[in-house]
Amino acid sequence: MRRIHHFRNFAIGAAALALFWSAQVGPTDAQSSAQQSFVTTKGGGFLLDGKPFRVAGVNNHYLTFGSPGEVTRVLDDATAMGANVVRTFLQPVIGSLDGRVPTIWNSKSTADSSNLGTKGIYMMSWDPITNKMVPNDGPDGLQKVDYLIAEAAKRKLKLILAFVDFWAYTGGAQQMNAWYGSSDKYTFFAADPRTRRDYKAWVRHVLSRVNTITGVRYSDDPTIFAWDLANEPDIHPKPLLHDWVSEMSAYVKSLAPKQLVTTGHGNMDQKLADMNIPSVDFGTWHGYPSYVKMSHSDFDARIREYCAIGRDIGKPVILEEFGIPRSDADQANAYRTWLNTIATSDCGGWVVWRLTSTQDSGLYPEDDYDKFDIHNDGSPAWQALREAALKLQ
């Protein structure tokens, strides 16, 4: 349900990044991931170290390609808000490095990081010689995720990581379709055996990766609270979605049994049906009332309805994305009402869309389209979210 406009591109040298990271993380910091505990589920709730764990979280979309300073500013602001979970996606995805298989999105943009200037960073590409997906393990690839995990662990923040974005803003599943010449947005990715193979190969590669900073295998890292199969896998028809989620969630659980798995689905029209799949540990849904012409009170009723579904199934539910434009004069009050409903309805928690921090320019990013951005600026919306986060914990 996200709309992201504007783009930007900067060049960052691999050697400079490596030097920065090594200077920032010392031996004690490198152990912080291993010293944490895994979040688990029990009935309709989460547990951490045997105590209830309620999610008060933030989304940010550029943590895997922002500069080190941009990444740490987001994590510091999340901590200042009282958040305990940060959610992001493993992105970008491109065509082939030689251009023979085109990149379908504007990877050359010179926008700031928040507006999808990705600075040449990518997580996976296509090799036209071997006709295979190729993960990028370098400093302009998965080492960016290494840094994010290490920095989150230092702040005792948990991460929800989506293996891929379903949408094409920075390639995502739509770029993986394009490797095979498909522009079918909703069916090809889950239906074609080649994209299913590529997705599983990517999952296997990510979960078996050993963090170059902490030395901890991703599948063994308790900093990672949960894996989204994808961000908003809007797969059609519904039986295909159910089949894909069943297979892929079971596959992730087989490789990462200590971590939680969920779908990352928006679920506004599916009533959390994917929660009945045994290998899905908790439910997710995404809600933007302004997109669907829903009143604040109707959305509050939807929150209660989805919390009740979770209680009936016996699994936690998280409102994993939600936002009100700052142009809405009642923004702060609506946040306060909705998050109080979650706090008093035994729901698993919430993850607001989206926290952005100052870019390397020293300025907050432009957000003139959706107007959902939250800043550590003392605004009424910030105060409402901070109060709700502290109350939930």
Side-chain angles (χ1 to χ4, degrees):
M1 294 292 289
R2 297 168 298 116
R3 311 289 191 272
I4 303 176
H5 289 239
H6 314 297
F7 299 90
R8 185 175 182 178
N9 182 37
F10 293 108
I12 293 182
L17 275 173
L19 285 172
F20 183 93
W21 293 343
S22 62
Q24 295 299 306
V25 182
T28 302
D29 299 328
Q31 300 301 316
S32 56
S33 283
Q35 292 169 353
Q36 297 189 47
S37 300
F38 289 93
V39 177
T40 60
T41 62
K42 183 177 182 181
F46 298 108
L47 293 177
L48 179 62
D49 292 324
K51 300 176 182 178
F53 180 83
R54 308 290 298 281
V55 173
V58 297
N59 282 278
N60 178 279
H61 58 292
Y62 59 82
L63 289 173
T64 57
F65 55 82
S67 72
E70 289 170 338
V71 170
T72 54
R73 286 193 290 275
V74 170
L75 299 179
D76 286 341
D77 284 349
T79 300
M81 200 189 87
N84 54 14
V85 170
V86 175
R87 177 176 178 261
T88 196
F89 324 137
L90 303 187
Q91 57 182 354
V93 183
I94 63 172
S96 62
L97 296 176
D98 61 9
R100 288 159 59 183
V101 176
T103 296
I104 64 172
W105 55 282
N106 187 3
S107 62
K108 305 297 184 184
S109 167
T110 57
D112 60 28
S113 295
S114 181
N115 288 305
L116 306 187
T118 56
K119 315 172 189 70
I121 291 161
Y122 66 97
M123 296 297 132
M124 50 177 154
S125 64
W126 183 254
D127 184 347
I129 305 298
T130 61
N131 287 322
K132 289 183 179 179
M133 178 273 292
V134 181
N136 180 7
D137 289 316
D140 58 349
L142 281 163
Q143 286 184 34
K144 294 285 290 180
V145 185
D146 292 349
Y147 180 70
L148 168 62
I149 294 171
E151 290 295 315
K154 286 165 60 176
R155 294 160 176 80
K156 293 183 171 54
L157 291 166
K158 299 290 187 181
L159 296 172
I160 298 176
L161 299 177
F163 285 110
V164 68
D165 189 358
F166 189 72
W167 309 114
Y169 297 109
T170 58
Q174 306 308 318
Q175 181 68 64
M176 297 172 75
N177 293 340
W179 292 342
Y180 298 102
S182 175
S183 59
D184 176 349
K185 185 180 293 186
Y186 299 107
T187 302
F188 185 88
F189 180 71
D192 193 276
R194 296 167 298 180
T195 44
R196 290 175 84 119
R197 176 201 64 203
D198 291 340
Y199 177 84
K200 292 176 85 168
W202 173 240
V203 166
R204 184 170 61 252
H205 186 85
V206 168
L207 293 177
S208 63
R209 179 176 176 80
V210 175
N211 190 311
T212 57
I213 298 172
T214 66
V216 180
R217 185 184 295 268
Y218 278 25
S219 61
D220 293 330
D221 196 329
T223 305
I224 301 172
F225 162 56
W227 295 99
D228 279 355
L229 296 182
N231 174 58
E232 298 183 345
D234 195 13
I235 294 163
H236 303 302
K238 290 182 181 179
L240 177 62
L241 172 64
H242 187 276
D243 174 72
W244 186 85
V245 167
S246 296
E247 178 179 344
M248 300 310 173
S249 59
Y251 186 68
V252 174
K253 291 296 287 186
S254 73
L255 298 175
K258 291 179 282 189
Q259 293 164 333
L260 301 179
V261 178
T262 190
T263 64
H265 201 286
N267 263 321
M268 270 293 278
D269 62 346
Q270 306 213 45
K271 302 294 184 184
L272 299 169
D274 48 27
M275 284 180 66
N276 287 305
I277 296 171
S279 46
V280 172
D281 291 308
F282 63 92
T284 63
W285 67 291
H286 301 177
Y288 298 90
S290 59
Y291 284 167
V292 294
K293 304 295 188 286
M294 181 181 284
S295 70
H296 293 173
S297 60
D298 285 346
F299 190 71
D300 190 63
R302 180 65 61 90
I303 291 173
R304 296 176 190 276
E305 177 187 4
Y306 276 33
C307 290
I309 291 172
R311 284 196 301 272
D312 290 344
I313 294 175
K315 292 182 181 180
V317 172
I318 290 179
L319 177 52
E320 195 185 45
E321 283 189 25
F322 65 99
I324 308 170
R326 63 178 177 273
S327 54
D328 187 329
D330 203 38
Q331 182 193 43
N333 287 332
Y335 281 147
R336 196 170 282 111
T337 298
W338 297 347
L339 302 185
N340 183 66
T341 295
I342 289 173
T344 57
S345 298
D346 297 326
C347 253
W350 50 268
V351 190
V352 69
W353 184 271
R354 66 190 175 183
L355 174 67
T356 60
S357 303
T358 54
Q359 306 290 274
D360 283 343
S361 65
L363 302 174
Y364 284 115
E366 294 182 12
D367 176 35
D368 293 331
Y369 188 81
D370 287 319
K371 303 179 182 178
F372 290 143
D373 279 8
I374 299 296
H375 301 151
N376 181 3
D377 57 2
S379 65
W382 170 266
Q383 293 292 351
L385 291 164
R386 188 172 186 275
E387 290 165 9
L390 296 176
K391 178 179 179 180
L392 204 62
Q393 298 175 47

